[in-house]
Amino acid sequence: MDRLVKPDVKEVNIIFNRNQKCFATFKLSNLMHTMNVAVSLTTTNPSLLSFSNPLSIIPPLSTMCFTLMLSKPSAQPPLSSPLDTILVKSSVLPKGKATQEELRRMFLKSGSQIFKDAIIPITFVGPHVVEFLLTPAPRKLDISFLLEKAISACDESQLSLLLRAAARCGNSYFASVLIEAGADVNNRDSSKLSVMALAVQSGNADLIEILIDSGYLIDNSVDWLLHKAAAMDRVELLEVLCLSCLDINLNSADMNGRTALHVAAIYGHVEALRFLVSVGSDPDVVDCDGWTPLHCASAEGHIKAVEFLLDCLKYVKYAVTKDGQTAYALAFKKGYSKLYDMLHLGDVLHKAATTDDVEGLKSCLAKGIEVNGKDQNGWTPLHRAAFKGQIKSVKLLLSYGAKTNVVDDHGHTPLHRAVEAGHVNVAMTLIGHGAKPNMKGLKGAVPLHLECYKKHLSLVSPLGGEKERA
């Protein structure tokens, strides 16, 4: 016979509860038919793990229960790699009885009469162990092995709570293991906050994909996932959500009626704005107060975001909120002077240039407006004044640094526009200030076509060459 007793378990699992007494029980059975057997129980970590009855006598063919305890409550489970173990020694008692001191002396000796019947691993299990493993502290431990053991003692509700913790930490490995063990990916707390929302907040794109692949069902009425990603300017998260989560609503609104575009605009996140618009988010949408994303960006003074939104929409800058405020009014209220030009004063300058309102031009330019600012067609104020033949406005704009060779969206310079409209004096003034008379537009047109001048001049020298009678 190679052993005298047999344990009823292959390992002892202690359910660890933080700062509470923790223990586990197991049984040893005497395999001898006629003789008592003495047993000795020791652990590899006796300062932490001990028995209430480490030395005992088991009658023939009987079973005895033993309790393994943590020596004192602890905030952290005493995990180890490799695992701590219980060593079970046994010896036959011919006399059938012995005192504790006699048993102690017996097992201090070694010899053929002392059997090493079992080595039983000790594992700590339960949700508190999983939570501890989620922390960055126990790096020397075999996390995967210990996690598998710890999860074995968790029920479905505990697994789902632990999945929320893993999502909050952005730990995709833990999330995968927990989901495989039975955690509910569609679990929500009392405030309807989902596991997916926690994953997005963690910023882990892999974790988001795992949840989607595991059957996460989006609820667009409360899942403002795009809002969270937009607030962080995490375009890669937006991509995963928009391209993998087929039921997601690009224009879902939060309790204030704001879409993800509103949120990106509030924070001035241009890359998030660009992506959301590219996949179909509506930049015209208004919130509960009638604010567009442009209103939001303007109220926060985000220049690049305002520029992008103005490029997306030609006339959205004229939209008013429920209390009648334009994007310009919001920027003006907070003193964001760098936005005045693109939101309002640029329009005033273009209008003044069109109508030859010299005093209006001077007033705008004195406020620091960009003299070469373009409208929705790429026209500068000089384009407008030249096309309308407003020579006074042309000269004033040139004196303030207006560029003569800037092109509009069709590749035309102010000189092109002046010649197109037949304004010779304007054309010659522009040439005198550096306009290139042989500069081609996108369609190859040269501004100073001879026929244009025959209508208006008796002598023409467009390129400084020969004169010709009209």
Side-chain angles (χ1 to χ4, degrees), residues 225-237:
L225 307 176
L226 296 179
H227 295 65
K228 297 178 188 297
M232 298 185 292
D233 202 23
R234 295 292 299 276
V235 176
E236 74 277 18
L237 302 185

Side-chain angles (χ1 to χ4, degrees), residues 270-287:
V270 178
E271 292 306 314
L273 286 171
R274 182 174 288 111
F275 174 80
L276 288 167
V277 170
S278 72
V279 295
S281 294
D282 183 6
D284 273 323
V285 70
V286 296
D287 66 11

Side-chain angles (χ1 to χ4, degrees), residues 131-355:
E131 290 175 359
F132 175 73
L133 292 171
L134 266 171
T135 66
R139 294 302 91 186
K140 294 182 180 180
L141 300 175
D142 184 348
I143 301 298
S144 59
F145 174 76
L146 294 173
L147 177 61
E148 181 182 351
K149 295 294 184 183
I151 286 176
S152 64
C154 299
D155 59 29
E156 183 177 335
S157 63
Q158 290 172 331
L159 289 171
S160 298
L161 289 174
L162 290 169
L163 178 60
R164 299 180 67 82
R168 190 177 290 108
C169 297
N171 194 316
S172 55
Y173 170 71
F174 270 61
S176 297
V177 175
L178 289 163
I179 292 170
E180 188 175 348
D184 181 8
V185 296
N186 291 299
N187 172 267
R188 295 176 185 270
D189 64 12
S190 57
S191 64
K192 301 294 185 181
L193 184 65
S194 65
V195 174
M196 181 65 85
L198 296 172
V200 173
Q201 286 178 349
S202 77
N204 189 328
D206 291 337
L207 176 54
I208 293 172
E209 289 189 333
I210 288 171
L211 293 175
I212 294 173
D213 292 341
S214 299
Y216 178 75
L217 300 175
I218 190 168
D219 182 347
N220 285 298
S221 66
V222 292
D223 277 341
W224 302 316
L225 307 176
L226 296 179
H227 295 65
K228 297 178 188 297
M232 298 185 292
D233 202 23
R234 295 292 299 276
V235 176
E236 74 277 18
L237 302 185
L238 292 171
E239 289 178 346
V240 172
L241 290 168
C242 292
L243 302 179
S244 300
C245 200
L246 301 181
D247 294 331
I248 201 163
N249 180 1
L250 294 173
N251 297 304
S252 64
D254 63 14
M255 62 185 67
N256 297 311
R258 292 173 178 168
T259 66
L261 267 183
H262 284 94
V263 174
I266 290 170
Y267 287 97
H269 294 328
V270 178
E271 292 306 314
L273 286 171
R274 182 174 288 111
F275 174 80
L276 288 167
V277 170
S278 72
V279 295
S281 294
D282 183 6
D284 273 323
V285 70
V286 296
D287 66 11
C288 295
D289 295 318
W291 285 45
T292 65
L294 180 62
H295 285 103
C296 296
S298 301
E300 298 298 328
H302 297 308
I303 297 173
K304 294 296 183 182
V306 169
E307 288 179 343
F308 172 76
L309 290 167
L310 287 175
D311 285 341
C312 290
L313 297 168
K314 304 303 183 185
Y315 307 107
V316 72
K317 63 180 173 182
Y318 307 114
V320 295
T321 63
K322 284 187 176 180
D323 55 2
Q325 297 192 82
T326 62
Y328 168 73
L330 294 170
F332 183 81
K333 184 177 181 180
K334 293 190 177 180
Y336 296 131
S337 58
K338 292 184 178 180
L339 294 179
Y340 297 171
D341 189 353
M342 64 181 81
L343 290 173
H344 177 67
L345 292 181
D347 296 341
V348 175
L349 186 66
H350 279 77
K351 183 177 180 180
T354 302
T355 59

Side-chain angles (χ1 to χ4, degrees), residues 391-427:
I391 189 65
K392 292 180 181 179
S393 294
V394 168
K395 290 179 178 180
L396 180 64
L397 290 167
L398 290 171
S399 71
Y400 273 86
K403 295 179 180 179
T404 57
N405 294 308
V406 64
V407 296
D408 62 18
D409 291 350
H410 292 87
H412 292 154
T413 66
L415 182 56
H416 279 94
R417 297 306 181 187
V419 173
E420 176 188 354
H423 301 303
V424 178
N425 289 340
V426 172

